[in-house]
Amino acid sequence: MSASPFAFGPSAVVCVEGKELLVYDPDDEAPLWKKALAAPIAAVAVAGDHVLALDARGTLVRLAVEGGAEEAKETFIGEPRALAARTAESFAVALEDGVVVVTGESRVTLPIDGARALAFSAKLLAIGTEAGALRIVDGHTTVAEAELGAPIRALVRHPAGVWLAAAKDTVFVVKDDGEATPFTRPTGKSLAGLACAKDGSLVALQTDARVVTVVAYPSKETVGTATYPERDAAGVALTDDGRFLWIGIDKGDANKIDLDEHDVYRTDPHPGRVRAAWVLKVKIDRAARARAKAHKESGATKAAPKPAARATTTEAPAAAAVAEAPMIPSGPPEPEMPPSSAADKRVVLGVLFAAAAIGILSLFVGR
C-alpha cells in the first residue's frame, strides 16, 4: 500500500499522514475535519456522503462526511492491500490471501492471492494481482481474465465501458471479455496511480513518485504534467468534467489544478497542523486540452481507443523558486497574477504563463 493514501469524491477529499485522516472540502480546499485511527491508515475511499478508512490492522471505519461521525466499523483478517467502494455499504477489500466483497450484511471472500488493485463498475469488480492477472468478477464468479505480464498497481473503470489497468510502465485497455490492448507507455517507469474523468475525456497517471501526467482519451495526447521537486505524490483524481486535476501528496496535503483556467490551489491545514510550503511545476498544453474538450463534445470519447503512436511525457524542468520559471519566447507574457490575499491563501502564488500554446507554471506553494 502507499504510505500516504489519497481519495477524492464530489463530497470530500481525503489525505493521510500516518494514523491521521485529514478530510477537506473539494470546492474550496478548506479543512472539514480530522480523525486519528488506532493504526497507520492503509487505504481510503469516498463513497457518496461517506469516507471509508482501512487501517494496517484490518479495521475499516465508515465516517459521515458531514462532521466525521463514525457510523460503522468492520474487521478483516490479514494484511490490507487495497480498497474500492461502489457505495458506503458495498465495497471490496484486498487482503494478502483473498478479496472480501461486502454488500450490506453479506460478505463474500474470493480466493484470489496477491490482489493489489480493485475497481468497480455498476455491476462488475475488477481485481489486479501482483502476478499480472486481471480478474473480472460478477458476484461470486470470474467472468473474464487477462494476463498483463507485470504487477497491476492501479485500476479504474472508464465510461467507454472498459477497464484501464496500470501494469508496470504500461496502461492497458481491457474489455469485459478480457481482451487487453496497450493504451500508453508514457515514461518507461512503473506507474503508481491512475484516474479518469467521468466524461471520458482525460486520464491522469502518476508516472513517477513526483510526476503526474494527464493525457487525452483516446488520442493519448499529453495535456499537462505536474512535477514536485521535493514532495511525493500519493494519488490522483479528476473531476467528472475533467476540468480539475487533484493530486494528493505526502504529509497530508493536496493540490487542485484547473486545467481550463490555469489556476492552482492547495488545501489549507487543519487547526493545529503546520502550514507546509513546497514547489510545484505545472505544464499545460492549451491546444491539447481544447482538442480533448472538442472530442468529448463530439461524443467520440465513448469509442474504444484506436491504435496510435506511443505517447510521451514532457516533464517540466525542476525549479527552486518562482523566479526560475522558463518562458516560451513566442509572444509577450501574460501579466503575472498578484499574490493571494491573506483571506484566500489556498490559491497558489506566482503563476506565470506565456501567450503561446503551452503554459508553464513555476509555483512556490507558500505558508
Side-chain angles (χ1 to χ4, degrees), residues 57-72:
R57 296 178 182 175
T59 299
L60 183 142
V61 293
R62 187 178 75 210
L63 307 144
V65 167
E66 186 174 352
E70 184 178 307
E71 296 186 352

Side-chain angles (χ1 to χ4, degrees), residues 51-279:
V51 171
L52 303 182
L54 178 66
D55 71 23
R57 296 178 182 175
T59 299
L60 183 142
V61 293
R62 187 178 75 210
L63 307 144
V65 167
E66 186 174 352
E70 184 178 307
E71 296 186 352
K73 181 180 289 186
E74 300 200 39
T75 301
F76 299 87
I77 306 302
E79 178 191 347
R81 296 182 172 180
L83 169 68
R86 182 186 281 127
T87 69
E89 297 182 346
S90 177
F91 56 89
V93 174
L95 304 169
E96 54 192 336
D97 58 357
V99 176
V100 181
V101 182
V102 177
T103 306
E105 299 296 321
S106 169
R107 279 195 186 197
V108 174
T109 300
L110 305 174
I112 298 174
D113 293 336
R116 287 286 184 178
L118 304 169
F120 279 105
S121 69
K123 183 181 179 183
L124 303 173
L125 170 65
I127 302 168
T129 72
E130 190 71 23
L134 179 65
R135 301 264 192 104
I136 301 171
V137 177
D138 185 352
H140 301 231
T141 307
T142 298
V143 296
E145 296 185 53
E147 295 293 335
L148 303 187
I152 300 170
R153 296 301 172 86
L155 277 170
V156 68
R157 181 68 168 182
H158 191 276
V162 296
W163 307 94
L164 301 181
K168 195 177 179 180
D169 59 355
T170 304
V171 177
F172 290 86
V173 174
V174 184
K175 296 181 180 179
D176 287 341
D177 63 4
E179 180 185 345
T181 305
F183 170 60
T184 185
R185 186 170 178 262
T187 65
K189 299 180 180 179
S190 293
L191 299 167
L194 182 62
C196 68
K198 286 191 176 180
D199 70 6
S201 63
L202 299 177
V203 176
L205 313 168
Q206 186 180 334
T207 52
D208 183 86
R210 297 181 174 181
V211 179
V212 172
T213 302
V214 178
V215 299
Y217 185 95
S219 72
K220 311 180 184 72
E221 186 175 18
T222 299
V223 172
T225 59
T227 305
Y228 292 90
E230 299 175 346
R231 301 288 295 268
D232 288 341
V236 295
L238 286 159
T239 54
D240 289 358
D241 61 359
R243 175 175 173 178
F244 294 102
L245 168 68
W246 274 96
I247 305 173
I249 54 179
D250 56 6
K251 302 177 184 177
D253 297 311
N255 283 119
K256 182 173 77 173
I257 300 170
D258 188 335
L259 298 174
D260 291 344
E261 297 298 329
H262 312 136
D263 289 328
V264 179
Y265 304 83
R266 59 158 295 162
T267 49
D268 258 353
H270 289 72
R273 290 179 59 86
V274 174
R275 175 180 286 273
W278 61 90
V279 175

